[in-house]
Amino acid sequence: NKRVLRACEALRCGDFTSLLSLARSSAESSELLLQNVVPVGEVKSQPYAYALAVCRALAGEGGCARVHGGGFGGCVQVYVPERNVHGFLDGLNVLLEGRDCIAVEPNARGTCRIM
């Protein structure tokens, strides 16, 4: 909960370096400590673990990928540096065959614009 409050403050201040650091901490907590990326017994198919690895590679330096939402029924949330957005989308859309990837850009009012 404290991390969420710090992330909100970072957003309010436009401090994206701190926001990404907090998102990476959250990702590490979910993946390594809570182990909510791979459902119990799913040793052959690990789609979230695979998706996270792919997204982190495509996002490049300065990016962040984490599981977001309802545990095993959620999604992968990725922060991509602006300079890497088109390459990220192109790479991901090849893998997803053009499905299920929505790019949004947050604004100062706390809403997002679909890119």
Side-chain angles (χ1 to χ4, degrees), residues 1-2 5 15 19 27 31 34 38-39 51-52 56 59-60 68 84 89 91 99-100 104 108-109:
N1 290 340
K2 290 177 185 176
L5 295 174
D15 184 355
L19 177 65
E31 193 171 350
L34 297 175
V38 180
L52 286 169
R56 286 178 182 139
H68 181 75
N84 297 352
L89 291 173
R99 302 175 311 219
D100 300 322
V104 296
R109 293 188 331 246

Side-chain angles (χ1 to χ4, degrees), residues 58 84-98 101:
L58 289 172
N84 297 352
V85 168
H86 293 293
F88 175 84
L89 291 173
D90 291 345
L92 199 57
N93 281 326
V94 166
L95 291 172
L96 296 175
E97 298 174 347
C101 183

Side-chain angles (χ1 to χ4, degrees), residues 62-73:
C64 174
R66 63 181 303 277
V67 170
H68 181 75
F72 306 111

Side-chain angles (χ1 to χ4, degrees), residues 1-101:
N1 290 340
K2 290 177 185 176
R3 187 172 21 235
V4 170
L5 295 174
R6 290 194 311 261
C8 289
E9 183 60 26
L11 274 172
R12 274 192 288 277
C13 295
D15 184 355
F16 294 105
T17 300
S18 293
L19 177 65
L20 286 175
S21 177
L22 291 161
R24 287 184 191 110
S25 295
S26 175
E28 185 176 293
S29 175
S30 290
E31 193 171 350
L32 301 177
L33 301 176
L34 297 175
Q35 297 185 358
N36 68 347
V37 176
V38 180
V40 174
E42 286 291 329
V43 294
K44 291 184 181 180
S45 174
Q46 299 181 17
Y48 279 118
Y50 176 75
L52 286 169
V54 168
C55 288
R56 286 178 182 139
L58 289 172
E61 276 297 309
C64 174
R66 63 181 303 277
V67 170
H68 181 75
F72 306 111
C75 64
V76 175
Q77 180 182 54
V78 186
Y79 299 88
V80 181
E82 192 171 0
R83 67 185 178 277
N84 297 352
V85 168
H86 293 293
F88 175 84
L89 291 173
D90 291 345
L92 199 57
N93 281 326
V94 166
L95 291 172
L96 296 175
E97 298 174 347
R99 302 175 311 219
D100 300 322
C101 183

